[in-house]
Amino acid sequence: MDVRRTTPTPRAAPDLPMHRLQVPLPHLLPFAIGSFDAIGPLSRAGFPHRHTFYEIVHVTGGRGAHVLDLVHRALAPPQLCVITPGQVHYWSESDELAGRVVLFNEDFLLGNPQDLAALRALAARPAVGLGEHTGAVGALLADMEHEYRTRAPGYQGVLRASLHILIVRALRAFAPDEPPAVAGRPAELAAAFTRLIAGPGGVRHSVASTAQELGVSPGHLQSLVKQATGRTPGGLIRRQQTLEAKRLLACTDLTIRQVARESGFADPAYFCRFFRRETGMTPGEFRSRVDGNHHDPRIMSIAATAEGP
């Protein structure tokens, strides 16, 4: 299989590269699994980048750190790292990184709100230690790769079911005493709202525009999102705007004016006041305190092709 992670041509103002999943017949199987080497050298990318797809990495060996949305966490294999679309991540000073990589688009999950919510909960941590689930997760991933490569009749269904089991086991390892998320309309709407504001350009949305796009009234959106998450839609948008601004300040050379625009603010002065209120420091102060690791836009962010099914 030819598995690629590509980025578009960089814009005039260097932004974070966006990797897209390219697999044969993506409308039938927007999914891939394999070793770091099989997926491609840039599965070990040491520069900040984003994905349009989900990635679950089972790290079984190696040294260094995984950096996810500016949080550094030293590798301690075996562990899972979960990256959702729009998050910024990279491997820092990694050496002999080994394990399996699972890549898939949201379509592959068939819109399952519980799995999507679980993935976002897992992605809030730079890594999930597996503990007593280590053996089961390793065996499950080996079986998934076998199904993927042999493509026996019904393999798509087996892979979807196995991915759901993987997500559940990871969530158990992350929060073993936490009850399962409650399904229903509030959870579904909250998951759709969260994906919308976390996607490309999502921070430019208002509560009213997201409600319109989701086909509900602003009041209904407010009620159900608060019921499912404990936070208001406006509060979640502000949190996402702050996170996006931090990503761009730390990982790009965009000016403060450009960061403001990309974070959903037309007025740079208002953006600076907003950022200081949310973080306790100005955008310039924040940028000066983080260690920059900027991507050189002249470097192609395309993984080498790999043989597969």
Side-chain angles (χ1 to χ4, degrees), residues 83-97:
I83 304 101
T84 60
Q87 287 190 294
V88 178
H89 90 114
Y90 63 96
W91 304 95
S92 176
E93 299 180 350
S94 62
D95 183 42
E96 299 182 358
L97 196 58

Side-chain angles (χ1 to χ4, degrees), residues 60-80:
T60 58
R63 296 177 294 275
H66 183 226
V67 185
L68 184 63
D69 279 337
L70 310 182
V71 179
H72 291 64
R73 186 65 61 85
L75 293 177
Q79 64 189 64
L80 282 183

Side-chain angles (χ1 to χ4, degrees), residues 4-8 16-20 42 45 47-49 295-304:
R4 295 172 179 261
R5 302 204 266 180
T6 68
T7 76
L16 288 161
M18 179 74 80
H19 291 190
R20 291 178 170 82
L42 290 186
F47 57 82
H49 61 281
H295 171 58
D296 185 341
R298 295 169 298 180
I299 300 174
M300 293 297 291
S301 300
I302 302 175

Side-chain angles (χ1 to χ4, degrees), residues 179-204:
V182 178
R185 181 57 176 161
E188 292 177 5
L189 187 63
F193 174 81
T194 301
R195 294 197 303 276
L196 187 59
I197 64 173
V203 290
R204 297 186 180 90

Side-chain angles (χ1 to χ4, degrees), residues 129-270:
L130 294 174
E132 65 183 29
H133 301 278
T134 296
V137 167
L140 178 61
L141 285 163
D143 184 65
M144 290 173 68
E145 185 171 4
H146 176 74
E147 285 286 338
Y148 176 69
R149 293 192 174 279
T150 57
R151 293 190 293 177
Y155 77 104
Q156 295 101 327
V158 172
L159 286 173
R160 284 193 174 94
S162 298
L163 180 59
H164 171 71
I165 294 170
L166 175 64
I167 293 169
V168 170
R169 288 192 181 278
L171 201 58
R172 286 176 181 173
F174 167 43
D177 300 323
E178 187 173 302
V182 178
R185 181 57 176 161
E188 292 177 5
L189 187 63
F193 174 81
T194 301
R195 294 197 303 276
L196 187 59
I197 64 173
V203 290
R204 297 186 180 90
H205 281 291
S206 65
V207 174
S209 68
T210 54
Q212 182 177 14
E213 188 159 342
L214 295 171
V216 297
S217 69
H220 195 56
L221 179 69
Q222 175 90 5
S223 175
L224 293 191
V225 169
K226 182 71 179 292
Q227 181 180 338
T229 68
R231 298 176 66 100
T232 66
L236 291 172
I237 290 173
R238 290 191 295 275
R239 184 176 69 177
Q240 192 66 34
Q241 289 176 313
T242 303
L243 176 58
E244 182 67 6
K246 287 181 175 180
R247 290 165 172 168
L248 296 174
L249 288 166
C251 300
T252 75
D253 291 318
L254 296 176
T255 66
I256 301 300
R257 179 180 294 275
Q258 290 169 324
V259 170
R261 184 179 65 245
E262 296 296 325
S263 302
F265 296 87
D267 181 358
Y270 176 71

